[in-house]
Amino acid sequence: MHSWTDTLRFAFQPVVNLTTGGVAGLEILARPEAGDILAEARRDPELDGRLAVLAVRAAARKETMLPLHVNVFAGTLADLGGLTPLHAAVREAGRLPWEVTVDVVPPYTHVPQRALLEAVGSLRSQGFRISADGVGDGDVPLRLLTDLAPDLVKLDASLLSRPAAVRAMRTLCEQLGALLSVEGVETELQCAAALSAGAQLAQGELFAPPARLPAADVYVPHRSPGAMASPPSGPSVREFVRPAALLPATASAGQVRALLTGSPDVSGVLLVDRDGVPVRSLHRSRFLLSMSGRYGHALYADRPAAKLGDPPRTVGIDATAWEVLDVVAVGGSDRTSDDVAVVDRYGRCVGVVRLADLVRALAETRVEEAASLNPLTRLPGSDAITGEVDRRIADGRTFALSWLDVDHFKQVNDGAGFAAGDELIRSVGRALQHAASESTRVGHIGGDDFLVLADPEGLDPLAVSVLDAPWSAGGRAVTLSLATVLCMPGSVADHRQASACLAPLKKAAKSLSGASWVLGRAGLPGHEIRRGSGAGPAPAECAVVEPGRG
């Protein structure tokens, strides 16, 4: 008698890291030869749980070492109160729970939320990672999504046509400590949109279709230079995480050797305890050299591999690429090529980063930044500032965008000469940089025009430092004009609206005599004169753009 499992096959689709271009995991998809078993599984939790177990066993038969993504309906988790058979199947397959992500699949309608959250908590306590699947095209309530606190959010590619929504989801993911992935990516344009919106992972036909054999190589479009833009603190380590080769802390040297010789792409192995916390690090070359030496195999093969390892180098999942380099710099030079383990808030390994990936990305970022610097002041141009404005808008932060220039600069050049004018511009640029706090960005957009992006509390010290200084060029006294627009969350949609709000304030500042400073608030009429003749509240002569208008 034939069983439905006789005609059931599984396909594997890569989940791609958009920064490194590597495969970060494999989603296992049920592919029955007849019937709609997924529709049945949606109605039958026991069947759905059985499919999850079979998916893990199918991956074990393919001998893939990549992290796995297993789909389970939300209703199944709520009904079964967790998946004990799945945990057993993972152990039987020689895998560790933290190498498996449970993709919680819609629908969520009529699913008891308390039961679902308890089941997810049970899975998480066992070490499984949790992904919220089908977001943007499913029915997951936003409050439930935050309560789930998933490690990964999978967004439907149809939402890429609404970039504001994707950026908002990226902001939510950052607050939750989750990665953002986009599913169903079919074109290079969609891939570029996913990168622009801040997605770290993606999957779809563009990279590789679902296939019976796990794919190791995928197609990833070349990143455009603009995609490398990063905040001043540096790109997040999340962008560079690769799957880790993990073995239990009790593994023998022979087991590690078998893993390394059978997987030439693996640069090292991490030995982890029962909770997934790295305890020893084994570098490929050093380990195999020890094993290949005279009597090496006889001496070490059956002994604990930990004897040949080093203390692991670790960074938190919220670290920046620069912090990883700091970790690498500590210790002997013989370990500079070692992988660095990335750990979650519980200390469990979520992957590794390779030094080559970091150096390449940081070098590209620095080259791009250098190309965009103003040759006179060595300050970034407007693109760097406007990009940071958009990031702060997406993060829901209050910020102040200011424009500063030299009054009657053409007359300065005509009277004192271009050399004196250039030296004045360099001096103003240095003064702005010196007065800027850690969170302040200063840009030189050409001529005598500067842009300053700051937190509101950093405005007064910067204005006092620059406006009160005695400026001169060729012996001629010079004054500066400063215009600032204060942008609260929701008051502007992007940097273009912020710039439109700033334009009338610039005109108002230039109409005053002496060193001047005019401040307005996006979405509100009028402005305040803080420096210059006629100080005090001004009438509603500043045409500030209202939120939502172009």
Side-chain angles (χ1 to χ4, degrees), residues 196-208:
S196 177
Q200 297 102 340
L201 305 171
Q203 60 188 108
E205 295 282 340
L206 174 67
F207 311 106

Side-chain angles (χ1 to χ4, degrees), residues 362-435:
L362 293 174
E364 290 174 354
T365 302
R366 286 294 178 256
V367 168
E368 181 192 347
E369 288 177 354
S372 66
L373 295 180
N374 187 287
L376 185 61
T377 60
R378 308 304 296 166
L379 288 171
S382 60
D383 286 348
I385 304 300
T386 56
E388 178 64 16
V389 167
D390 285 337
R391 276 190 287 272
R392 297 195 186 193
I393 291 172
D395 291 344
R397 294 172 57 182
T398 297
F399 63 89
L401 181 63
S402 299
W403 165 87
L404 179 139
D405 81 338
V406 178
D407 294 329
H408 312 297
F409 184 65
K410 185 178 185 304
Q411 296 177 20
V412 173
N413 268 343
D414 292 344
F418 288 105
D422 286 350
E423 180 54 37
L424 173 62
I425 295 302
R426 281 192 287 266
S427 297
V428 172
R430 287 194 295 267
L432 286 171
Q433 285 183 294
H434 182 74

Side-chain angles (χ1 to χ4, degrees), residues 310-324:
D310 298 292
R313 290 175 166 177
T314 62
V315 294
I317 190 65
D318 296 320
T320 67
W322 294 109
E323 290 175 290
V324 177

Side-chain angles (χ1 to χ4, degrees), residues 503-512 516 518 527 541-542:
L505 300 175
K506 293 192 292 185
K507 184 177 180 181
K510 297 299 289 184
S511 68
L512 303 173
S516 61
V518 168
H527 61 263
E541 57 187 39
C542 176

Side-chain angles (χ1 to χ4, degrees), residues 115-454:
L116 173 60
L117 293 173
E118 289 177 354
V120 166
S122 175
L123 287 171
R124 187 172 276 127
S125 68
Q126 296 170 34
F128 290 102
R129 307 196 185 283
I130 304 298
S131 166
D133 205 347
V135 176
D137 193 43
D139 61 343
V140 54
L142 191 57
R143 185 174 65 181
L144 176 60
L145 181 62
T146 59
D147 289 343
L148 283 173
D151 303 284
L152 175 67
V153 172
K154 288 191 174 183
L155 205 64
D156 190 82
S158 63
L159 216 59
L160 291 174
S161 61
R162 299 167 177 82
V166 182
R167 287 195 298 269
M169 188 55 63
R170 168 63 192 267
T171 301
L172 177 61
C173 285
E174 290 178 349
Q175 295 296 319
L176 296 175
L179 295 175
L180 180 63
S181 180
V182 178
E183 293 185 293
V185 175
E186 298 180 351
T187 67
E188 292 191 9
L189 190 61
Q190 286 181 318
C191 181
L195 272 168
S196 177
Q200 297 102 340
L201 305 171
Q203 60 188 108
E205 295 282 340
L206 174 67
F207 311 106
R212 293 291 173 84
L213 294 177
D217 297 318
V218 294
Y219 169 73
V220 182
H222 180 71
R223 287 175 68 112
S224 63
M228 293 304 301
S230 300
S233 58
S236 168
V237 74
R238 295 171 184 267
E239 299 179 28
F240 305 96
V241 174
R242 290 177 176 265
L246 304 177
L247 284 175
T250 56
S252 68
Q255 289 175 297
V256 174
R257 183 177 184 275
L259 188 158
L260 291 174
T261 54
S263 307
D265 293 334
V266 173
S267 55
V269 176
L270 288 172
L271 303 181
V272 296
D273 64 17
R274 290 182 60 85
D275 295 322
V277 177
V279 293
R280 301 296 281 179
S281 173
L282 299 164
H283 183 267
R284 180 186 187 89
S285 298
R286 294 200 301 273
F287 176 84
L288 291 179
L289 186 63
S290 298
M291 291 291 288
S292 62
R294 191 176 185 183
Y295 308 120
H297 188 272
L299 285 173
Y300 298 118
D302 296 325
R303 298 183 65 186
K307 298 284 186 181
L308 297 174
D310 298 292
R313 290 175 166 177
T314 62
V315 294
I317 190 65
D318 296 320
T320 67
W322 294 109
E323 290 175 290
V324 177
L325 294 185
D326 290 339
V327 171
V328 173
V330 175
S333 59
D334 60 324
R335 295 196 61 193
T336 54
S337 62
D338 287 18
D339 293 340
V340 176
V342 182
V343 297
D344 63 14
R345 58 183 179 274
Y346 302 109
R348 301 179 304 204
C349 181
V350 299
V352 296
V353 289
R354 294 180 180 176
L355 182 62
D357 290 338
L358 298 183
V359 172
R360 185 182 306 111
L362 293 174
E364 290 174 354
T365 302
R366 286 294 178 256
V367 168
E368 181 192 347
E369 288 177 354
S372 66
L373 295 180
N374 187 287
L376 185 61
T377 60
R378 308 304 296 166
L379 288 171
S382 60
D383 286 348
I385 304 300
T386 56
E388 178 64 16
V389 167
D390 285 337
R391 276 190 287 272
R392 297 195 186 193
I393 291 172
D395 291 344
R397 294 172 57 182
T398 297
F399 63 89
L401 181 63
S402 299
W403 165 87
L404 179 139
D405 81 338
V406 178
D407 294 329
H408 312 297
F409 184 65
K410 185 178 185 304
Q411 296 177 20
V412 173
N413 268 343
D414 292 344
F418 288 105
D422 286 350
E423 180 54 37
L424 173 62
I425 295 302
R426 281 192 287 266
S427 297
V428 172
R430 287 194 295 267
L432 286 171
Q433 285 183 294
H434 182 74
S437 65
E438 185 177 345
S439 62
T440 300
R441 301 293 305 275
V442 178
H444 183 191
I445 59 178
D448 62 322
D449 293 318
F450 294 86
L451 279 178
V452 181
L453 176 63

